[in-house]
Amino acid sequence: MITSNERLLLVEKVIILKSLTIFSDTPENILADLAPLMQEEDFEKETLLFREGDTGDCMFIIHRGEVRIHKNNTTLAVLKEKEVFGELSLLDAETRSASASCQTDCTLFRIDQEPFYELIDARPEVARGFIKILCQRLRAQNEKSVQSRNL
């Protein structure tokens, strides 16, 4: 039986998911199916979450803190609250293209690939959010590439 505290946590997770670009167009009832897949984990500053070349099998949502995405000593991005990383690993089990480390103490939600696959089999609408954000990122990367060539 679900207690009121667990129900509140489910509602909070749905609100967090809805606030993310990747899921902003996904209906709340579908997010309520995704929310139980979110596993909350705390990490200390400088924890290596994964290394470039590791096989990916999950994505992360930053609830609190900052995560540095890097290749060796080169910082590619510093991600903050309500940002997502590792989302490609929900769609395929390829190797990670960069490393991720906690820049501060962090609370992250992890969503694993297998339960996610089961969810998108039942709810294909969830996959639409992923496709949308991946297309946006690809367009942004293409624009950066064009701009750098024009310099």
Side-chain angles (χ1 to χ4, degrees), residues 20-124:
L20 303 173
T21 305
I22 200 165
F23 295 119
S24 62
D25 294 331
T26 306
E28 287 82 1
N29 63 321
I30 295 170
L31 295 179
D33 292 338
L34 179 59
L37 304 183
M38 297 168 62
Q39 300 172 39
E40 187 174 346
E41 297 182 21
D42 293 315
F43 297 94
E44 293 181 359
K45 180 180 179 177
E46 298 182 13
T47 300
L48 179 66
L49 299 167
F50 55 78
R51 236 186 254 318
E52 177 182 1
D54 288 351
T55 301
D57 63 355
C58 66
M59 76 166 224
F60 294 92
I61 299 164
I62 303 171
H63 184 60
R64 183 183 55 81
E66 296 180 358
V67 172
R68 182 172 77 98
I69 307 300
H70 54 95
K71 284 185 174 265
N72 299 315
N73 293 326
T74 303
T75 299
L76 303 175
V78 175
L79 305 176
K80 298 179 177 167
E81 183 178 321
K82 295 185 181 175
E83 292 193 271
V84 173
F85 62 99
E87 66 278 4
L88 290 178
S89 293
L90 281 186
L91 302 177
D92 66 21
E94 294 297 315
T95 57
R96 303 279 189 180
S97 61
S99 300
S101 302
C102 296
Q103 188 155 304
T104 64
D105 289 347
C106 292
T107 301
L108 307 175
F109 290 108
R110 189 181 84 232
I111 299 176
D112 291 322
Q113 184 184 68
E114 277 308 312
F116 183 76
Y117 275 171
E118 292 169 14
L119 178 62
I120 61 174
D121 280 346
R123 299 285 206 163

